[in-house]
Amino acid sequence: MKNFSIAVIPGDGIGREVTPEGIRLLDAVGEISGAYAFTYEYFPWGSEYYLQTGKMMDDRGLEILKPFDAIFFGAVGDPARVPDPISLSGLRLKICQGFDQYVCMRPSLLLPGLPSPLAGKKPGDIDLIVIRENTEGEYTGAGGRAHPGLPIEVAVETSVFTRTAVERIIRYAFELAARRERKHLISSSKSNAQRHIFSFWDEIFAQTALEYPTVTTERVLIDALCARFVLKPESIDVVVASNLHADILTDIGGAISGSLGVAASTNINAERLYPSMFEPVHGSAMDIFGKGIANPIGQIWSGALMLDFLGFPREHDLILHAIKAVTGEGRPLTPDLGGNATTKEVTDAIMAKARVLAGANLV
Ligand code: GGG
């Protein structure tokens, strides 16, 4: 039995409803397998904290989080009360960038029983992973504004691409693609318009490709790649993309898989010098917050990815199989997937399936 300390940041909106469900599932699977136990410490950081203190997180936030084995994060954003640039940069980006969590890995999988909004797609047709550069690029925050309110007002935002960051994320994506069955890697580009940063990215991609002869590659412009996610997702295996490109692509990936509510995500420091963070792709979804109907699958699946990262691949597989067993039966599902179940009912069903699968030694 291994013990781990997990920092929990539920954040805003439905993040506060789905993180407890993810934790219930993690604890249940810990009991089933007997392989690990988690102790949790909760941090109230987020938009409410900002309204009370003027900060999205404690000034010593990174120092406080550093000793934890991992961070389990919900969602951030409360646009009616806190401007988006403050809420995102003051919490999620501070942690991802401050802990050099440079690999944001986001799988999109059409789960059994779930209807894709794309006609004729069945499980297996959508099975792709986007590797998002998570520390720089369009999210660096380099820029500023001058002459506020005057006709000559100006705003400048500079994307920063460094060789270190581009090389390591592209290499990570090649390593992943080389381990997968289809061994195909697409690099998202926009070098026709952004000729400095994306020519640099394209060159590094082409150079790195020489080291991975078993992986077939394509360079696709982001606009065409967005269309391909919708028109031919079955042709996509692994994608490596800049921070912004991947953010957009993974919302599409979630949507074509039935709902953004099922999409899971990691923010990993691969060298394990800092804690990594696990969170669903979806945000705070203020429109449904408080109704108890948020889909817990993205958070639960993110918990499974955390287990895999901590060295428990069997427990990861157990959770994923349990999710698939529930969606495969078509109920209970939350309203975003066409059902009328509550967040808790879906978690209970996944937990029950995990117990059955483990009891029957099916995973
Ligand atoms: N759980 C993910 C989350 O809260 N995302 C909020 C958001 O607005 N993210 C934008 C981004 O990460 O680019």
Side-chain angles (χ1 to χ4, degrees):
M1 161 81 79
K2 285 192 179 167
N3 292 291
F4 296 90
S5 55
I6 308 294
V8 182
I9 308 175
D12 299 333
I14 63 165
R16 288 151 70 169
E17 298 175 349
V18 291
T19 41
E21 300 305 294
I23 286 169
R24 278 209 298 138
L25 218 293
L26 286 168
D27 285 346
V29 171
E31 271 172 37
I32 293 169
S33 79
Y36 67 85
F38 290 158
T39 46
Y40 305 98
E41 194 168 330
Y42 291 80
F43 297 95
W45 302 333
S47 296
E48 194 62 50
Y49 185 86
Y50 174 83
L51 291 168
Q52 285 164 22
T53 65
K55 293 160 193 166
M56 286 296 292
M57 69 192 290
D58 191 290
D59 282 340
R60 292 176 45 250
L62 294 180
E63 204 183 310
I64 292 167
L65 292 173
K66 178 115 197 288
F68 286 89
D69 293 303
I71 304 163
F72 199 46
F73 190 90
V76 66
D78 189 347
R81 299 193 301 162
V82 179
D84 282 336
I86 289 178
S87 61
L88 188 65
S89 67
L91 189 57
R92 184 184 173 275
L93 294 190
K94 224 174 206 168
I95 298 170
C96 292
Q97 295 177 354
F99 284 159
D100 204 19
Q101 294 167 344
Y102 62 90
V103 183
C104 180
M105 202 245 323
R106 297 184 159 183
S108 292
L109 191 62
L110 182 54
L111 295 165
L114 295 192
S116 169
L118 306 180
K121 299 295 176 216
K122 51 186 188 324
D125 288 346
I126 303 173
D127 180 2
L128 61 93
I129 298 183
V130 175
I131 300 295
R132 172 185 187 182
E133 199 298 312
N134 212 29
T135 57
E136 55 164 42
E138 307 88 343
Y139 281 56
T140 310
R145 291 173 66 162
H147 314 304
L150 299 181
I152 56 164
E153 184 168 4
V154 57
V156 179
E157 183 117 17
T158 304
S159 295
V160 176
F161 285 64
T162 63
R163 181 170 282 279
T164 301
V166 176
E167 275 183 1
R168 68 185 178 180
I169 200 65
I170 286 177
R171 191 170 296 285
Y172 192 96
F174 268 106
E175 290 287 335
L176 174 70
R179 290 196 302 274
R180 280 172 63 92
E181 206 180 315
R182 285 189 280 167
K183 302 190 191 323
H184 185 65
L185 179 61
I186 294 174
S187 170
S188 173
S189 182
K190 194 62 193 170
S191 52
N192 56 346
Q194 293 188 289
R195 55 207 158 126
H196 304 298
I197 52 178
F198 280 108
S199 299
F200 181 56
W201 176 283
D202 290 350
E203 273 169 37
I204 293 174
F205 183 73
Q207 281 159 10
T208 313
L210 299 175
E211 297 172 39
Y212 294 88
T214 62
V215 178
T216 55
T217 61
E218 279 178 86
R219 182 186 69 93
V220 182
L221 297 178
I222 179 64
D223 40 342
L225 190 51
C226 288
R228 186 151 149 194
F229 263 61
V230 175
L231 297 174
K232 225 177 162 200
E234 60 278 12
S235 70
I236 304 170
D237 183 19
V238 181
V239 175
V240 63
S242 71
N243 219 331
L244 179 63
H245 286 195
D247 183 43
I248 295 165
L249 288 172
T250 52
D251 266 32
I252 303 177
I256 61 175
S257 307
S259 165
L260 208 48
V262 301
S265 174
T266 71
N267 304 287
I268 288 173
N269 174 259
E271 290 74 26
R272 298 178 190 243
L273 300 172
Y274 304 95
S276 293
M277 182 160 77
F278 301 82
E279 58 167 343
V281 172
H282 67 71
S284 52
M286 283 301 181
D287 53 332
I288 57 164
F289 173 46
K291 298 183 178 164
I293 54 163
N295 192 334
I297 292 179
Q299 187 82 45
I300 289 171
W301 189 351
S302 303
L305 293 172
M306 180 166 82
L307 288 177
D308 194 39
F309 181 77
L310 292 174
F312 303 98
R314 280 170 59 89
E315 287 74 4
H316 163 276
D317 292 353
L318 176 62
I319 294 177
L320 202 54
H321 279 87
I323 292 172
K324 286 180 183 174
V326 169
T327 61
E329 285 180 3
R331 56 182 293 276
L333 298 176
T334 43
D336 56 311
L337 293 172
N340 56 13
T342 65
T343 309
K344 285 192 187 320
E345 284 166 349
V346 174
T347 311
D348 288 341
I350 296 170
M351 208 182 291
K353 284 289 181 210
R355 291 208 164 94
V356 171
L357 291 168
N361 277 329
L362 288 176
V363 179

